[in-house]
Amino acid sequence: GNVKVKRHAFKQTGKVWAMYNRVKAERLFLLEELRRRGSSHVVFVDSNDIVIAGDLTGAMFHEHAPGVAFTFRGRTGGSAAKSMPINLGVKAVHANALAEGALVYTKFLEIFRASLTNRTHSLFVTDQASVHAMISHSDNFRPSKFMRSRSFHYTLPIEYTRLGDMSGERRCVSVLLNMLSCRIFNAQPFDRKACRTSPLTKIYHLKGSLKSRMAEVCNTLVPDGASPLTTEL
């Protein structure tokens, strides 16, 4: 399908604040898509170390109900799989769930900001820690699910106040979260301590020194006939 690539640029003020500004920029993008009545799926990825192995439309969106998607590490995700199951190198929002995506990002930012301004709340402040805090507060949260190898979904209740509502009435909506396996949508080749690849892998994430092997991934791991897209700068 047609792909439109956008990069967000902002002043680097330290690693943690860069994470925060990235989440803030992604929320703003969703709000802009809502304002212009966008009708395209949205995929957010790290800016310079991703290889997308062909069309994502079917596997990422058509096979799942409309919602907001995160990738989880699962059993092959190394030591972080239990303490920090969500990996935020890849995130997605279905075209029919842009409003729900904006709500999720708003809640995400609230928790992240609170952690940044009150370090006693969390000594380990990152985007992954903040999104974990958000999803783990749900009654539907089951840590055992994140040790699976297959994708799954559950609902996240989010309270909000409608813009312009002077009464301040709090409303609640249940947002569908699609948890996608890192082995398919955020795999790390050549690293046995991270999310391993599979023959079905659609997105490869080459962190650190592995970034130098992006061409190798395109030439050897991407299926014949596919048109890989890289985010290498």
Side-chain angles (χ1 to χ4, degrees):
N2 295 326
V3 177
K4 185 176 182 180
V5 178
K6 281 193 172 185
R7 293 186 186 275
H8 51 72
F10 42 79
K11 184 178 179 181
Q12 295 291 328
T13 54
K15 183 177 181 179
V16 174
W17 279 104
M19 291 178 185
Y20 177 82
N21 287 331
R22 180 176 67 175
V23 176
K24 189 175 180 180
E26 289 169 351
R27 174 182 176 272
L28 180 60
F29 179 83
L30 292 175
L31 291 173
E32 290 173 347
E33 286 294 288
L34 276 172
R35 277 194 287 268
R36 73 175 192 86
R37 299 180 183 275
S39 58
S40 299
H41 304 307
V42 176
V43 181
F44 295 119
V45 299
D46 281 0
S47 64
N48 62 0
D49 56 6
I50 293 285
V51 176
I52 299 175
D55 191 359
L56 297 175
T57 307
M60 183 171 271
F61 297 107
H62 289 175
E63 294 179 13
H64 303 277
V68 180
F70 296 113
T71 58
F72 69 98
R73 292 182 167 90
R75 283 177 288 187
T76 66
S79 58
K82 289 185 178 181
S83 60
M84 212 70 65
I86 303 298
N87 186 326
L88 292 176
V90 177
K91 294 149 288 188
V93 181
H94 194 283
N96 294 333
L98 295 176
E100 291 85 349
L103 281 175
V104 169
Y105 265 83
T106 298
K107 185 64 176 180
F108 185 2
L109 276 174
E110 287 177 0
I111 295 172
F112 203 163
R113 181 75 184 189
S115 298
L116 285 167
T117 55
N118 181 16
R119 290 298 180 113
T120 58
H121 174 70
S122 174
L123 296 177
F124 185 57
V125 179
T126 65
D127 51 355
Q128 293 186 21
S130 298
V131 80
H132 179 72
M134 177 180 72
I135 66 171
S136 62
H137 289 162
S138 168
D139 291 337
N140 297 316
F141 180 72
R142 298 291 184 273
S144 59
K145 287 186 176 182
F146 290 89
M147 298 310 294
R148 298 175 176 178
S149 57
R150 292 187 176 184
S151 301
F152 65 96
H153 68 267
Y154 71 93
T155 55
L156 177 71
I158 296 181
E159 289 189 353
Y160 69 100
T161 302
R162 293 188 66 176
L163 187 65
D165 187 346
M166 302 303 293
S167 69
E169 179 185 356
R170 300 288 288 176
R171 301 169 182 264
C172 185
V173 63
S174 291
V175 177
L176 182 72
L177 297 185
N178 288 313
M179 295 298 171
L180 308 179
S181 172
C182 275
R183 293 199 68 189
I184 309 299
F185 297 104
N186 197 0
Q188 297 172 45
F190 319 121
D191 186 351
R192 292 184 177 275
K193 296 181 180 179
C195 294
R196 300 174 188 173
T197 63
S198 90
L200 300 176
T201 297
K202 296 292 185 182
I203 300 179
Y204 297 93
H205 195 171
L206 292 93
K207 297 182 178 181
S209 61
L210 292 178
K211 180 182 171 183
S212 63
R213 302 178 71 174
M214 292 179 79
E216 181 181 349
V217 169
C218 291
N219 293 330
T220 63
L221 296 180
V222 174
D224 292 339
S227 300
L229 173 68
T230 71
T231 61
E232 186 175 14
L233 295 174

